[in-house]
Amino acid sequence: MKRQFTADRAKALVVSKNWDVLSDFTEYLPEFGIPFLFADSLKAVPYSFLRDYQPSYVFVSIDDFGGPTLVYDQLHDLRQKMPNTAVILLSSEFATDEYGTHRLTLADVSLRFPFSKSSLLFALEQAPVNLSAWKQRFASLTQSTTALAFNY
């Protein structure tokens, strides 16, 4: 069964150097009707291009870049510069898939690699929900910070 996301407007960017990761996305994303591009690093794609391409999802295989601590700043920049894009992290070091909200400052969903098609499908459905929660949380935090600044 082919599944379509957001009326054929969903697009993805997959950031990975790992052929196994790229292979899984090459197989699964077309089945869901999601066109995608590959990049071998977050620095390889200029944000001006991303603003024009407007991906709905960015998948980042953090194992390829030394883990989350080594790409933290890049993920944080991505989150700030692409606030309407859901970020999904991939790592073989995650104990399990994580669809909750405890990593929202960096990502909306975390998938343990290798992942199943059903895990990816659930991530595609849950990531926009978590992105909305992040945007509300960030707006609230920004308003609180602004209010504190004006109260001095």
Side-chain angles (χ1 to χ4, degrees):
M1 176 175 114
K2 189 170 183 176
R3 187 162 193 151
Q4 298 293 319
F5 285 86
T6 59
D8 295 323
R9 294 184 325 221
K11 293 184 269 185
L13 172 66
V14 178
V15 183
S16 179
K17 299 175 189 176
N18 181 326
W19 173 247
D20 291 330
V21 170
L22 302 177
S23 176
D24 284 354
F25 281 108
T26 300
E27 179 182 348
Y28 296 149
L29 289 178
E31 288 184 34
F32 300 139
I34 299 176
F36 57 93
L37 297 174
F38 290 128
D40 62 5
S41 74
L42 285 170
K43 294 179 181 180
V45 180
Y47 282 104
S48 59
F49 174 80
L50 288 179
R51 280 190 291 275
D52 291 339
Y53 181 66
Q54 295 184 359
S56 309
Y57 305 95
V58 174
F59 297 90
V60 181
S61 177
I62 60 176
D63 293 349
D64 298 355
F65 310 107
T69 56
L70 296 179
V71 292
Y72 178 88
D73 291 335
Q74 294 172 42
L75 290 169
H76 185 71
D77 285 347
L78 175 67
R79 196 64 148 164
Q80 300 302 312
K81 292 178 180 177
M82 302 295 296
N84 296 316
T85 299
V87 178
I88 300 174
L89 301 181
L90 309 168
S91 177
S92 61
E93 297 195 19
F94 291 147
T96 186
D97 297 335
E98 174 55 53
Y99 303 102
T101 59
H102 74 279
R103 290 188 178 124
L104 279 182
T105 55
L106 297 179
D108 301 294
V109 169
S110 302
L111 289 178
R112 176 170 169 60
F113 184 79
F115 54 85
S116 67
K117 187 183 345 181
S118 60
S119 293
L120 177 60
L121 177 60
F122 191 67
L124 290 168
E125 292 173 343
Q126 187 61 38
V129 174
N130 290 354
L131 176 60
S132 179
W134 164 247
K135 288 162 63 172
Q136 290 174 357
R137 190 179 295 177
F138 186 73
S140 174
L141 178 64
T142 303
Q143 289 172 355
S144 297
T145 304
T146 303
L148 285 173
F150 286 113
N151 287 331
Y152 276 110

